[in-house]
Short mmCIF file of all heavy atoms in Angstrom, two decimals:
data_model
loop_
_atom_site.label_atom_id
_atom_site.label_comp_id
_atom_site.label_asym_id
_atom_site.label_seq_id
_atom_site.Cartn_x
_atom_site.Cartn_y
_atom_site.Cartn_z
N ASN A 505 -32.05 -59.74 -179.68
CA ASN A 505 -31.89 -59.86 -178.32
C ASN A 505 -33.10 -60.30 -177.64
O ASN A 505 -34.07 -59.52 -177.37
CB ASN A 505 -31.31 -58.61 -177.68
CG ASN A 505 -30.97 -58.77 -176.15
OD1 ASN A 505 -31.34 -59.70 -175.58
ND2 ASN A 505 -30.26 -57.76 -175.72
N ARG A 506 -33.29 -61.51 -177.30
CA ARG A 506 -34.53 -62.11 -176.95
C ARG A 506 -35.00 -61.57 -175.67
O ARG A 506 -36.18 -61.53 -175.26
CB ARG A 506 -34.46 -63.63 -176.66
CG ARG A 506 -33.93 -64.42 -177.91
CD ARG A 506 -34.91 -64.28 -179.03
NE ARG A 506 -36.18 -64.79 -178.85
CZ ARG A 506 -36.63 -66.02 -179.17
NH1 ARG A 506 -35.81 -66.92 -179.71
NH2 ARG A 506 -37.83 -66.56 -178.87
N GLN A 507 -34.02 -60.91 -174.83
CA GLN A 507 -34.42 -60.25 -173.55
C GLN A 507 -35.55 -59.28 -173.81
O GLN A 507 -36.37 -59.01 -172.87
CB GLN A 507 -33.15 -59.59 -173.00
CG GLN A 507 -32.14 -60.51 -172.52
CD GLN A 507 -31.03 -59.72 -171.93
OE1 GLN A 507 -30.56 -58.65 -172.47
NE2 GLN A 507 -30.34 -60.13 -170.95
N LEU A 508 -35.47 -58.60 -174.87
CA LEU A 508 -36.45 -57.44 -175.10
C LEU A 508 -37.82 -57.78 -175.32
O LEU A 508 -38.80 -57.04 -175.26
CB LEU A 508 -35.95 -56.55 -176.35
CG LEU A 508 -35.00 -55.47 -176.00
CD1 LEU A 508 -33.73 -55.90 -175.60
CD2 LEU A 508 -34.89 -54.49 -177.28
N GLU A 509 -37.91 -59.13 -175.64
CA GLU A 509 -39.37 -59.61 -175.86
C GLU A 509 -40.27 -59.49 -174.62
O GLU A 509 -41.43 -59.39 -174.72
CB GLU A 509 -39.40 -60.98 -176.35
CG GLU A 509 -38.96 -61.10 -177.89
CD GLU A 509 -38.72 -62.44 -178.36
OE1 GLU A 509 -38.73 -63.50 -177.52
OE2 GLU A 509 -38.41 -62.66 -179.47
N ASN A 510 -39.62 -59.44 -173.53
CA ASN A 510 -40.38 -59.41 -172.23
C ASN A 510 -40.62 -57.91 -171.72
O ASN A 510 -41.09 -57.73 -170.67
CB ASN A 510 -39.70 -60.19 -171.18
CG ASN A 510 -39.49 -61.55 -171.55
OD1 ASN A 510 -40.47 -62.16 -172.22
ND2 ASN A 510 -38.46 -62.28 -171.23
N ASN A 511 -40.07 -56.93 -172.49
CA ASN A 511 -40.30 -55.66 -172.08
C ASN A 511 -40.97 -54.77 -173.08
O ASN A 511 -40.38 -54.47 -174.13
CB ASN A 511 -38.85 -55.03 -171.82
CG ASN A 511 -38.83 -53.70 -171.24
OD1 ASN A 511 -39.80 -52.82 -171.68
ND2 ASN A 511 -38.08 -53.32 -170.29
N PRO A 512 -42.18 -54.55 -172.90
CA PRO A 512 -43.05 -53.86 -173.99
C PRO A 512 -42.52 -52.41 -174.32
O PRO A 512 -42.53 -52.15 -175.42
CB PRO A 512 -44.49 -53.79 -173.36
CG PRO A 512 -44.36 -54.13 -171.90
CD PRO A 512 -42.96 -54.97 -171.71
N GLN A 514 -39.31 -51.39 -174.26
CA GLN A 514 -38.04 -51.55 -175.13
C GLN A 514 -38.51 -52.00 -176.58
O GLN A 514 -38.01 -51.54 -177.50
CB GLN A 514 -37.11 -52.49 -174.45
CG GLN A 514 -36.29 -52.01 -173.31
CD GLN A 514 -35.38 -53.13 -172.75
OE1 GLN A 514 -35.85 -54.29 -172.51
NE2 GLN A 514 -34.22 -52.84 -172.34
N HIS A 515 -39.33 -53.01 -176.58
CA HIS A 515 -39.81 -53.52 -177.81
C HIS A 515 -40.42 -52.47 -178.61
O HIS A 515 -40.07 -52.25 -179.84
CB HIS A 515 -40.77 -54.76 -177.53
CG HIS A 515 -41.08 -55.52 -178.77
ND1 HIS A 515 -42.14 -55.35 -179.48
CD2 HIS A 515 -40.35 -56.52 -179.25
CE1 HIS A 515 -42.17 -56.17 -180.46
NE2 HIS A 515 -40.91 -56.91 -180.39
N VAL A 533 -34.65 -42.06 -175.69
CA VAL A 533 -34.83 -43.10 -174.84
C VAL A 533 -34.21 -42.68 -173.56
O VAL A 533 -32.93 -42.58 -173.48
CB VAL A 533 -34.19 -44.37 -175.40
CG1 VAL A 533 -34.33 -45.63 -174.40
CG2 VAL A 533 -34.63 -44.82 -176.76
N PHE A 534 -35.05 -42.62 -172.52
CA PHE A 534 -34.40 -42.09 -171.20
C PHE A 534 -34.89 -43.08 -170.12
O PHE A 534 -35.95 -43.68 -170.21
CB PHE A 534 -34.60 -40.62 -170.98
CG PHE A 534 -35.90 -40.31 -170.28
CD1 PHE A 534 -35.94 -40.19 -168.98
CD2 PHE A 534 -37.04 -40.11 -171.07
CE1 PHE A 534 -37.18 -39.82 -168.34
CE2 PHE A 534 -38.27 -39.81 -170.41
CZ PHE A 534 -38.32 -39.68 -169.15
N GLY A 535 -34.10 -43.13 -169.07
CA GLY A 535 -34.54 -43.93 -167.96
C GLY A 535 -33.33 -44.05 -166.96
O GLY A 535 -32.19 -43.74 -167.30
N PRO A 536 -33.60 -44.54 -165.74
CA PRO A 536 -32.58 -44.58 -164.76
C PRO A 536 -31.48 -45.64 -165.16
O PRO A 536 -31.64 -46.31 -166.15
CB PRO A 536 -33.39 -45.02 -163.52
CG PRO A 536 -34.76 -44.74 -163.76
CD PRO A 536 -34.89 -44.68 -165.30
N PRO A 537 -30.47 -45.68 -164.34
CA PRO A 537 -29.39 -46.71 -164.70
C PRO A 537 -29.92 -48.15 -164.70
O PRO A 537 -30.86 -48.59 -164.01
CB PRO A 537 -28.43 -46.55 -163.46
CG PRO A 537 -28.86 -45.34 -162.76
CD PRO A 537 -30.29 -44.99 -163.01
N GLY A 538 -29.30 -48.80 -165.60
CA GLY A 538 -29.51 -50.25 -165.78
C GLY A 538 -30.97 -50.63 -166.33
O GLY A 538 -31.44 -51.71 -166.11
N THR A 539 -31.65 -49.66 -166.93
CA THR A 539 -32.92 -49.97 -167.34
C THR A 539 -32.93 -50.45 -168.90
O THR A 539 -33.90 -50.59 -169.50
CB THR A 539 -33.95 -48.69 -167.28
OG1 THR A 539 -33.18 -47.55 -167.81
CG2 THR A 539 -34.29 -48.49 -165.84
N GLY A 540 -31.75 -50.54 -169.45
CA GLY A 540 -31.60 -51.18 -170.75
C GLY A 540 -31.62 -50.06 -171.90
O GLY A 540 -32.19 -50.48 -172.93
N LYS A 541 -31.22 -48.96 -171.62
CA LYS A 541 -31.11 -47.98 -172.74
C LYS A 541 -30.18 -48.35 -173.87
O LYS A 541 -30.48 -48.30 -175.04
CB LYS A 541 -30.72 -46.51 -172.11
CG LYS A 541 -31.62 -46.01 -171.03
CD LYS A 541 -31.22 -44.67 -170.61
CE LYS A 541 -30.05 -44.67 -169.74
NZ LYS A 541 -30.10 -45.46 -168.45
N THR A 542 -28.92 -48.72 -173.29
CA THR A 542 -27.94 -49.08 -174.36
C THR A 542 -28.40 -50.38 -175.13
O THR A 542 -28.34 -50.51 -176.30
CB THR A 542 -26.55 -49.41 -173.63
OG1 THR A 542 -26.27 -48.29 -172.77
CG2 THR A 542 -25.46 -49.68 -174.54
N VAL A 543 -29.07 -51.29 -174.40
CA VAL A 543 -29.53 -52.52 -174.96
C VAL A 543 -30.51 -52.20 -176.06
O VAL A 543 -30.53 -52.68 -177.21
CB VAL A 543 -30.13 -53.48 -173.81
CG1 VAL A 543 -30.93 -54.54 -174.43
CG2 VAL A 543 -28.99 -54.10 -173.11
N THR A 544 -31.44 -51.31 -175.70
CA THR A 544 -32.38 -50.81 -176.65
C THR A 544 -31.89 -50.23 -177.90
O THR A 544 -32.21 -50.55 -179.07
CB THR A 544 -33.40 -49.75 -175.88
OG1 THR A 544 -33.91 -50.37 -174.78
CG2 THR A 544 -34.57 -49.52 -176.85
N LEU A 545 -30.91 -49.32 -177.60
CA LEU A 545 -30.14 -48.68 -178.85
C LEU A 545 -29.52 -49.73 -179.73
O LEU A 545 -29.60 -49.66 -180.93
CB LEU A 545 -29.05 -47.73 -178.20
CG LEU A 545 -29.15 -46.26 -178.63
CD1 LEU A 545 -30.57 -45.72 -178.22
CD2 LEU A 545 -28.08 -45.50 -177.89
N VAL A 546 -28.87 -50.73 -179.14
CA VAL A 546 -28.19 -51.71 -179.80
C VAL A 546 -29.09 -52.55 -180.62
O VAL A 546 -28.99 -52.84 -181.88
CB VAL A 546 -27.26 -52.42 -178.91
CG1 VAL A 546 -26.75 -53.72 -179.55
CG2 VAL A 546 -26.19 -51.69 -178.40
N LEU A 574 -18.11 -49.95 -175.42
CA LEU A 574 -19.23 -50.81 -174.94
C LEU A 574 -20.27 -51.02 -176.11
O LEU A 574 -20.75 -52.12 -176.31
CB LEU A 574 -19.96 -50.21 -173.70
CG LEU A 574 -20.90 -51.05 -173.11
CD1 LEU A 574 -20.23 -52.17 -172.17
CD2 LEU A 574 -21.74 -50.13 -172.11
N ARG A 578 -21.22 -54.64 -178.02
CA ARG A 578 -22.51 -55.19 -178.02
C ARG A 578 -23.09 -55.40 -179.32
O ARG A 578 -23.78 -56.20 -179.78
CB ARG A 578 -23.50 -54.28 -177.14
CG ARG A 578 -23.14 -54.51 -175.63
CD ARG A 578 -24.29 -53.91 -174.87
NE ARG A 578 -23.95 -54.06 -173.39
CZ ARG A 578 -24.62 -53.49 -172.50
NH1 ARG A 578 -25.77 -52.70 -172.66
NH2 ARG A 578 -24.37 -53.66 -171.17
N ASP A 651 -25.56 -42.50 -177.47
CA ASP A 651 -25.71 -43.13 -176.15
C ASP A 651 -25.07 -42.24 -175.08
O ASP A 651 -24.09 -41.33 -175.50
CB ASP A 651 -25.07 -44.51 -176.11
CG ASP A 651 -25.61 -45.35 -174.83
OD1 ASP A 651 -26.69 -44.82 -174.34
OD2 ASP A 651 -25.09 -46.41 -174.54
N GLU A 652 -25.52 -42.25 -173.87
CA GLU A 652 -25.02 -41.31 -172.80
C GLU A 652 -25.13 -39.92 -173.32
O GLU A 652 -24.23 -39.06 -173.08
CB GLU A 652 -23.59 -41.66 -172.48
CG GLU A 652 -23.30 -43.05 -172.14
CD GLU A 652 -23.92 -43.54 -170.83
OE1 GLU A 652 -24.51 -42.82 -170.05
OE2 GLU A 652 -23.80 -44.74 -170.45
N ALA A 679 -29.99 -41.34 -176.27
CA ALA A 679 -30.37 -42.17 -175.13
C ALA A 679 -29.48 -41.58 -173.92
O ALA A 679 -28.42 -41.21 -174.10
CB ALA A 679 -29.98 -43.69 -175.27
N GLY A 680 -30.10 -41.57 -172.76
CA GLY A 680 -29.39 -41.12 -171.60
C GLY A 680 -30.33 -40.88 -170.44
O GLY A 680 -31.43 -41.13 -170.40
N ASP A 681 -29.64 -40.37 -169.35
CA ASP A 681 -30.35 -40.15 -168.06
C ASP A 681 -29.79 -38.84 -167.49
O ASP A 681 -28.58 -38.80 -167.11
CB ASP A 681 -30.02 -41.35 -167.21
CG ASP A 681 -30.55 -41.13 -165.73
OD1 ASP A 681 -31.38 -40.18 -165.58
OD2 ASP A 681 -30.26 -41.88 -164.84
N GLN A 684 -27.64 -38.70 -164.39
CA GLN A 684 -26.33 -39.39 -164.33
C GLN A 684 -25.25 -38.35 -164.78
O GLN A 684 -25.66 -37.12 -165.02
CB GLN A 684 -26.18 -40.55 -165.18
CG GLN A 684 -26.98 -41.76 -164.62
CD GLN A 684 -26.87 -42.96 -165.38
OE1 GLN A 684 -25.67 -43.46 -165.52
NE2 GLN A 684 -27.90 -43.66 -165.74
N LEU A 731 -37.89 -45.87 -169.81
CA LEU A 731 -37.70 -47.12 -169.33
C LEU A 731 -37.56 -47.20 -167.84
O LEU A 731 -36.91 -46.26 -167.18
CB LEU A 731 -36.47 -47.79 -169.91
CG LEU A 731 -36.34 -47.82 -171.44
CD1 LEU A 731 -34.94 -48.24 -171.90
CD2 LEU A 731 -37.48 -48.76 -171.95
N ARG A 733 -37.79 -50.37 -165.89
CA ARG A 733 -37.43 -51.67 -165.37
C ARG A 733 -35.97 -51.91 -165.30
O ARG A 733 -35.16 -51.84 -166.31
CB ARG A 733 -38.07 -52.90 -166.23
CG ARG A 733 -39.48 -52.86 -166.37
CD ARG A 733 -40.06 -53.97 -167.22
NE ARG A 733 -41.40 -53.96 -167.33
CZ ARG A 733 -42.08 -54.97 -167.86
NH1 ARG A 733 -41.45 -56.01 -168.40
NH2 ARG A 733 -43.38 -54.96 -167.98
N ASN A 734 -35.53 -52.10 -164.06
CA ASN A 734 -34.07 -52.12 -163.92
C ASN A 734 -33.64 -53.69 -163.94
O ASN A 734 -34.10 -54.39 -163.11
CB ASN A 734 -33.65 -51.50 -162.57
CG ASN A 734 -32.13 -51.67 -162.33
OD1 ASN A 734 -31.61 -52.78 -162.01
ND2 ASN A 734 -31.34 -50.58 -162.38
N TYR A 735 -32.76 -53.92 -164.94
CA TYR A 735 -32.36 -55.32 -165.06
C TYR A 735 -30.96 -55.59 -164.48
O TYR A 735 -30.29 -56.64 -164.89
CB TYR A 735 -32.27 -55.57 -166.61
CG TYR A 735 -33.74 -55.65 -167.15
CD1 TYR A 735 -34.17 -54.56 -167.90
CD2 TYR A 735 -34.53 -56.83 -167.02
CE1 TYR A 735 -35.51 -54.56 -168.46
CE2 TYR A 735 -35.67 -56.78 -167.59
CZ TYR A 735 -36.18 -55.68 -168.28
OH TYR A 735 -37.43 -55.65 -168.84
N ARG A 736 -30.46 -54.66 -163.78
CA ARG A 736 -29.17 -54.77 -163.32
C ARG A 736 -28.95 -55.34 -161.87
O ARG A 736 -28.27 -56.23 -161.63
CB ARG A 736 -28.43 -53.41 -163.45
CG ARG A 736 -26.93 -53.41 -163.04
CD ARG A 736 -26.31 -52.20 -163.30
NE ARG A 736 -26.14 -51.85 -164.69
CZ ARG A 736 -26.10 -50.76 -165.31
NH1 ARG A 736 -26.15 -49.65 -164.58
NH2 ARG A 736 -25.91 -50.57 -166.59
N SER A 737 -29.69 -54.74 -160.94
CA SER A 737 -29.30 -54.70 -159.58
C SER A 737 -30.32 -55.24 -158.67
O SER A 737 -31.54 -55.21 -158.93
CB SER A 737 -28.87 -53.28 -159.04
OG SER A 737 -28.08 -52.63 -159.99
N TYR A 750 -35.28 -40.94 -158.35
CA TYR A 750 -36.19 -41.52 -159.30
C TYR A 750 -37.68 -41.67 -158.69
O TYR A 750 -38.49 -42.50 -159.25
CB TYR A 750 -35.75 -42.81 -159.89
CG TYR A 750 -34.44 -42.60 -160.59
CD1 TYR A 750 -33.27 -43.15 -160.13
CD2 TYR A 750 -34.32 -41.89 -161.72
CE1 TYR A 750 -31.99 -43.02 -160.64
CE2 TYR A 750 -33.04 -41.65 -162.39
CZ TYR A 750 -31.95 -42.26 -161.85
OH TYR A 750 -30.76 -41.95 -162.49
N PHE A 757 -36.06 -55.81 -161.92
CA PHE A 757 -36.36 -56.88 -162.90
C PHE A 757 -35.17 -57.70 -163.09
O PHE A 757 -35.14 -58.50 -163.96
CB PHE A 757 -36.90 -56.26 -164.25
CG PHE A 757 -38.36 -56.27 -164.24
CD1 PHE A 757 -39.11 -55.12 -163.62
CD2 PHE A 757 -39.23 -57.17 -164.88
CE1 PHE A 757 -40.45 -55.02 -163.72
CE2 PHE A 757 -40.53 -57.15 -164.98
CZ PHE A 757 -41.17 -56.00 -164.33
N ALA A 758 -34.11 -57.41 -162.32
CA ALA A 758 -32.87 -58.17 -162.67
C ALA A 758 -33.15 -59.56 -162.36
O ALA A 758 -33.89 -60.03 -161.48
CB ALA A 758 -31.77 -57.66 -161.71
N ASP A 759 -32.40 -60.55 -163.00
CA ASP A 759 -32.47 -61.90 -162.89
C ASP A 759 -32.32 -62.38 -161.38
O ASP A 759 -31.30 -61.88 -160.80
CB ASP A 759 -31.40 -62.61 -163.76
CG ASP A 759 -31.33 -64.04 -163.52
OD1 ASP A 759 -32.17 -64.74 -163.95
OD2 ASP A 759 -30.30 -64.52 -162.80
N GLU A 762 -29.06 -64.02 -160.25
CA GLU A 762 -27.90 -63.20 -160.28
C GLU A 762 -27.91 -62.17 -159.26
O GLU A 762 -26.99 -61.93 -158.48
CB GLU A 762 -27.78 -62.59 -161.62
CG GLU A 762 -26.94 -63.18 -162.58
CD GLU A 762 -26.04 -62.25 -163.45
OE1 GLU A 762 -25.45 -61.47 -162.74
OE2 GLU A 762 -26.02 -62.30 -164.65
N PHE A 870 -16.61 -45.60 -165.39
CA PHE A 870 -17.61 -46.67 -165.16
C PHE A 870 -19.09 -46.26 -165.58
O PHE A 870 -20.01 -47.11 -165.55
CB PHE A 870 -17.72 -46.98 -163.60
CG PHE A 870 -16.73 -47.97 -163.17
CD1 PHE A 870 -15.44 -47.68 -162.70
CD2 PHE A 870 -17.09 -49.36 -163.20
CE1 PHE A 870 -14.49 -48.68 -162.37
CE2 PHE A 870 -16.29 -50.26 -162.78
CZ PHE A 870 -14.94 -50.03 -162.40
N GLN A 871 -19.21 -45.07 -166.09
CA GLN A 871 -20.62 -44.64 -166.59
C GLN A 871 -21.04 -45.61 -167.75
O GLN A 871 -20.22 -45.84 -168.62
CB GLN A 871 -20.56 -43.21 -167.04
CG GLN A 871 -21.89 -42.84 -167.68
CD GLN A 871 -22.54 -41.47 -167.19
OE1 GLN A 871 -22.44 -41.29 -165.97
NE2 GLN A 871 -23.27 -40.84 -168.07
N GLY A 872 -22.11 -46.18 -167.52
CA GLY A 872 -22.55 -47.07 -168.63
C GLY A 872 -22.09 -48.57 -168.45
O GLY A 872 -22.59 -49.47 -169.04
N GLN A 873 -21.25 -48.76 -167.45
CA GLN A 873 -20.59 -50.08 -167.17
C GLN A 873 -21.37 -50.76 -165.99
O GLN A 873 -21.99 -50.12 -165.16
CB GLN A 873 -19.24 -50.08 -166.89
CG GLN A 873 -18.31 -49.14 -167.82
CD GLN A 873 -17.54 -50.07 -168.68
OE1 GLN A 873 -17.15 -51.20 -168.41
NE2 GLN A 873 -17.29 -49.57 -169.93
N GLU A 874 -21.21 -51.93 -165.77
CA GLU A 874 -21.72 -52.75 -164.69
C GLU A 874 -20.74 -54.00 -164.32
O GLU A 874 -20.02 -54.39 -165.26
CB GLU A 874 -23.08 -53.34 -164.96
CG GLU A 874 -23.22 -54.26 -166.21
CD GLU A 874 -24.62 -54.65 -166.46
OE1 GLU A 874 -25.50 -53.96 -166.19
OE2 GLU A 874 -24.76 -55.67 -167.17
N VAL A 909 -24.17 -42.40 -160.24
CA VAL A 909 -23.60 -43.34 -161.23
C VAL A 909 -22.71 -44.39 -160.42
O VAL A 909 -22.82 -45.59 -160.71
CB VAL A 909 -22.59 -42.56 -162.25
CG1 VAL A 909 -21.95 -43.68 -163.06
CG2 VAL A 909 -23.36 -41.60 -163.15
N THR A 912 -24.80 -47.20 -158.74
CA THR A 912 -25.75 -48.01 -159.48
C THR A 912 -25.00 -49.00 -160.60
O THR A 912 -25.57 -49.40 -161.51
CB THR A 912 -26.76 -47.03 -160.37
OG1 THR A 912 -25.89 -46.10 -161.02
CG2 THR A 912 -27.64 -46.40 -159.37
N ARG A 913 -23.72 -49.23 -160.33
CA ARG A 913 -23.03 -50.12 -161.21
C ARG A 913 -23.04 -51.58 -160.87
O ARG A 913 -22.76 -52.45 -161.62
CB ARG A 913 -21.47 -49.62 -161.28
CG ARG A 913 -21.28 -48.25 -161.74
CD ARG A 913 -21.80 -47.99 -163.06
NE ARG A 913 -23.02 -47.17 -163.08
CZ ARG A 913 -23.83 -47.10 -164.07
NH1 ARG A 913 -23.67 -47.65 -165.26
NH2 ARG A 913 -24.99 -46.34 -164.00
N ARG A 915 -24.25 -55.22 -159.71
CA ARG A 915 -25.39 -56.19 -159.99
C ARG A 915 -25.83 -56.90 -158.64
O ARG A 915 -27.05 -56.89 -158.26
CB ARG A 915 -25.14 -57.17 -161.03
CG ARG A 915 -24.98 -56.58 -162.41
CD ARG A 915 -25.46 -57.49 -163.51
NE ARG A 915 -24.43 -58.66 -163.66
CZ ARG A 915 -23.45 -58.66 -164.60
NH1 ARG A 915 -23.24 -57.57 -165.42
NH2 ARG A 915 -22.58 -59.61 -164.70
N1 ATP B 1001 -35.31 -56.58 -171.40
C1 ATP B 1001 -34.28 -56.97 -170.64
N2 ATP B 1001 -34.27 -58.26 -170.09
C2 ATP B 1001 -33.25 -58.69 -169.28
N3 ATP B 1001 -32.07 -57.91 -169.10
C3 ATP B 1001 -32.06 -56.68 -169.67
C4 ATP B 1001 -33.05 -56.19 -170.50
N4 ATP B 1001 -32.60 -54.84 -170.85
C5 ATP B 1001 -31.38 -54.74 -170.47
N5 ATP B 1001 -31.00 -55.85 -169.77
C6 ATP B 1001 -29.75 -55.92 -168.92
O1 ATP B 1001 -29.66 -54.92 -168.05
C7 ATP B 1001 -28.30 -54.45 -167.85
C8 ATP B 1001 -28.28 -52.93 -168.06
O2 ATP B 1001 -28.51 -52.67 -169.40
P1 ATP B 1001 -27.93 -51.41 -170.19
O3 ATP B 1001 -26.47 -51.30 -170.00
O4 ATP B 1001 -28.46 -51.32 -171.46
O5 ATP B 1001 -28.70 -50.32 -169.21
P2 ATP B 1001 -28.50 -48.70 -169.26
O6 ATP B 1001 -29.91 -48.10 -169.12
O7 ATP B 1001 -27.90 -48.30 -170.61
O8 ATP B 1001 -27.67 -48.41 -168.10
P3 ATP B 1001 -26.82 -47.04 -167.74
O9 ATP B 1001 -27.68 -45.99 -167.45
O10 ATP B 1001 -26.09 -47.51 -166.49
O11 ATP B 1001 -25.74 -46.79 -168.78
C9 ATP B 1001 -27.51 -55.20 -168.84
O12 ATP B 1001 -26.92 -56.25 -168.20
C10 ATP B 1001 -28.54 -55.77 -169.81
O13 ATP B 1001 -28.08 -56.99 -170.41
#
Side-chain angles (χ1 to χ4, degrees):
N505 181 347
R506 307 297 296 271
Q507 291 178 323
L508 266 71
E509 285 173 352
N510 301 323
N511 184 317
Q514 285 177 316
H515 192 262
V533 180
F534 85 98
T539 47
K541 298 182 290 296
T542 307
V543 163
T544 308
L545 237 55
V546 169
L574 187 77
R578 290 190 179 174
D651 199 8
E652 307 293 356
D681 173 11
Q684 295 186 49
L731 301 176
R733 297 182 179 189
N734 179 287
Y735 291 99
R736 178 176 293 155
S737 314
Y750 301 109
F757 268 80
D759 172 74
E762 264 222 53
F870 271 91
Q871 173 131 324
Q873 309 255 331
E874 58 185 24
V909 175
T912 49
R913 302 299 103 196
R915 292 210 288 264

